[in-house]
Each structure stands twice: as structure tokens, then as C-alpha cells.
Amino acid sequence: MVNQSSGGPPFCALCGSLLSIPTHDKTASCPTCLHLTPAKEFEDAINITQSRPGFFEKHRVGHASRRAAAAELAAAELGKGATVREICPKCGHDEMSFRTMQLRSADEGATIFYTCTKCSYTYKLNN
């Protein structure tokens, strides 16, 4: 990816964060370190950004892939959660570990994964 600019840097001189070019203020405030850059440095600024074909495609992960990756991670970490007094439906043991993960959209409840600390039986509960 190539970034060319003339007429003033669009990046903070201290931390390198991308700056928003001010419209009415006399300074641009860095969103990361709050360093102030005089607005006159942006006068007549021309910024051109180019990327090679397919650059963004390799960074894109589909919804189904994210869900599968989250489920795989949850399965790998099932036995590492906190423990609660919960009866195992398989062996009747009274202690299970649990973990929660947000596998569905943000406006829906988290998924709770329970694992029996005795027999390792697992199940999930969608709230």
C-alpha cells in the first residue's frame, strides 16, 4: 500500500496516528496523543492512497468464518472457565465450569458454555 501526500502530513508528528483535517479550527488534535498540529499545514494538501489489487480481500473474513472461528475458540477453552454449582445432566456431578462468548449479533444474549469438571460433558445455552 502506498500513501503519497503533498502540502502537509495527514499523520501526527509525535505518534503517527491519522489526523482529521480541521475545517473550522486553527489546529488538528491527534485522537491518540492529543498533539496539536497547526491547520495551515493542511492548506492545499493532496493525499493519494493506492493499494494493489486484492489487498483488502485477503483481510476480509466472512460472517460464517468468524462464527466458526469463535466456536472453535470456545470449544478449545471450555474447561478453563469459572466453576458454579450446577448439576451435570450426564453424570449428576454438582460442579461445572462455564464460559460466555458473544457468538451472535451484539443485540442478542451471549452463549454460555458449561463443562462438567468430573466427566467433561459439555453443552451450551443461548440466552
Side-chain angles (χ1 to χ4, degrees):
M1 190 143 126
V2 176
N3 186 28
Q4 301 171 341
S5 66
S6 64
F11 301 99
C12 177
L14 291 181
C15 71
S17 293
L18 182 64
L19 297 175
S20 295
I21 297 174
T23 54
H24 301 293
D25 298 333
K26 294 184 179 186
T27 58
S29 176
C30 175
T32 305
C33 71
L34 304 178
H35 174 71
L36 299 176
T37 303
K40 65 182 178 183
E41 290 190 26
F42 297 104
E43 290 178 6
D44 301 320
I46 299 172
N47 292 297
I48 301 169
T49 302
Q50 299 174 331
S51 62
R52 61 187 173 278
F55 177 79
F56 293 102
E57 293 300 318
K58 71 179 182 179
H59 298 287
R60 185 177 300 174
V61 178
H63 180 69
S65 297
R66 283 193 307 274
R67 179 176 285 176
E72 185 177 319
L73 175 64
E77 296 189 358
L78 275 175
K80 299 179 184 175
T83 58
V84 293
R85 295 278 178 213
E86 185 74 28
I87 304 296
C88 174
K90 184 176 179 183
C91 73
H93 185 63
D94 67 346
E95 185 178 80
M96 299 189 85
S97 65
F98 76 96
R99 292 189 56 82
T100 61
M101 291 193 80
Q102 189 67 39
L103 299 179
R104 298 175 294 159
S105 60
D107 63 339
E108 297 182 44
T111 301
I112 304 170
F113 295 89
Y114 288 99
T115 303
C116 178
T117 57
K118 183 178 180 184
C119 72
S120 298
Y121 174 75
T122 62
Y123 68 95
K124 69 179 181 174
L125 177 65
N126 289 317
N127 287 338

